[in-house]
Amino acid sequence: PDAGPGPAWQSKCPWGAPSTTSISCSLADVMSEQLAKELQLEEENAAFPEVVAAAEGPFITGENIDTSSDLMLAQMLQMEFDREYDAQLRREEKKINGDSKVSISFENYRKVHPYDSDSSEDEVDWQDTRHDPYRADKPTTTPRRGFIGKGKDITTKHDEVVCGRKNTARMENFAPEFQVGDGIGMDLKLSNQVFNALKQHAYSEERRSARLHEKKEHSTAEKAVDPKTRLLLYKMVNSGMLETITGCISTGKESVVFHAYGGNSATEDKIIPPECAIKVFKTTLNEFKNRDKYIKDDYRFKDRFSRLNPRKIIRMWAEKEMHNLTRMQNAGIPCPQVVILKKHVLVMSFIGQDQVPAPKLKDVTLSSEDMKKAYYQILNMMQQLYRECNLVHADLSEYNMLWHDGKVWLIDVSQSVEPTHPHGLKFLFRDCRNVSQFFQKGGVAEALNERELFNAVSGLNITADNEVDFQAEIEALEKVNEDHVQNHGKKLSTFSSDGDPPIYD
């Protein structure tokens, strides 16, 4: 056959003859180290052209570094191992921390190398390390015996320098809100007097901040209510019992009073007045700390009294006023009409007109005839309160009496107690003193003094020449009644009286 190129299948056949012939080499050339490097370099260039081009350097080419040195090779391998180890630590650290606010750091375990430019040493805060910036360069340790040195060079644990450095370091234990400044790099030394003053101030600020936060979040404040109270008011408006709440009309030591227009509630049988007064009792006891003496000895609430739960005490205080107003209303005494009680919120009828509350007796100017009329009306109400309602106001004064429609109205009866209360007669004598002094100053000639008024209201014939003996007899009567209660367990009045007192009309 003619000589020429073979068919196409013959050139592609794997069993065909190779197109190029291999160059033969001697055994000495194969064992040559230079030939081995060249072959290795050709293979790396063919497999990783970009990586080799980027990593071209002394380690690969061997132009400037003697790779035959085992020490140099070991250092390079150690550097690469340290980089891989640090990268693994960073991955573990990121995996454990995640999005947590509290994170951990493996910085102390990293193999920081002087030639490693990827180290995050500059980003580590000093608090994540074991270095104390307030400690001296060469700290002096205090042994167990309490001192070091001898003679004049002795240093005890009470040394000014040592204590000053310790006080400076202990400032970091203060609350986060208390700014102590940055003393890093300074060898600060605080004396015990300065440190104790700062510590006391930090504790005071922490307690004050807690009180302000508690007062804002959990208690009623002046002309404002807490979220729970606002929710109760919203429910009253949404249910239709109240149409709208206009605003605050009065503030006191125990409550805040709001004005509201009454609505039409289908769930309540009581007739809601056109204008209502909402009395919100303050849920803090710091403004009226003596509430317990009015309620803990009242047999109606004695079993339910607890000084450890202020919320329950406030609810009992509101319930106490509701029951007292109900008694007074049944006896015909002019007072606000109770509409509804929800926890510590009491809704009553409004004494006034067109959002204008009736003035207090101390703020209104009455003629001599009206003043005399008001005096006899109050005297009659005190007698009705004592005999028919079996109550003593316990806080009766010109501040708790309103003048409306030509007559006197009694308000604020949450502290009212029964005469059999351990201090009931004492409270009654205090009320009589307030009433007598006010009307005597107002020019009422017929006004009785406090002792005569006490006998006229209570019907007790206490004869004493001076006020000291009069109060002593009152305390004796209260003691007799208290002994009777302890012996028989009944709240029955053992006060002896000479018939019913005269009725003043």
Side-chain angles (χ1 to χ4, degrees), residues 137-148:
D137 295 336
K138 295 181 179 179
T140 303
T141 58
T142 304
R144 293 184 179 180
R145 58 185 178 180
F147 65 92
I148 58 176

Side-chain angles (χ1 to χ4, degrees), residues 47 77 142 201 285 434:
L77 291 175
T142 304
H201 178 67
L285 294 179
N434 295 335

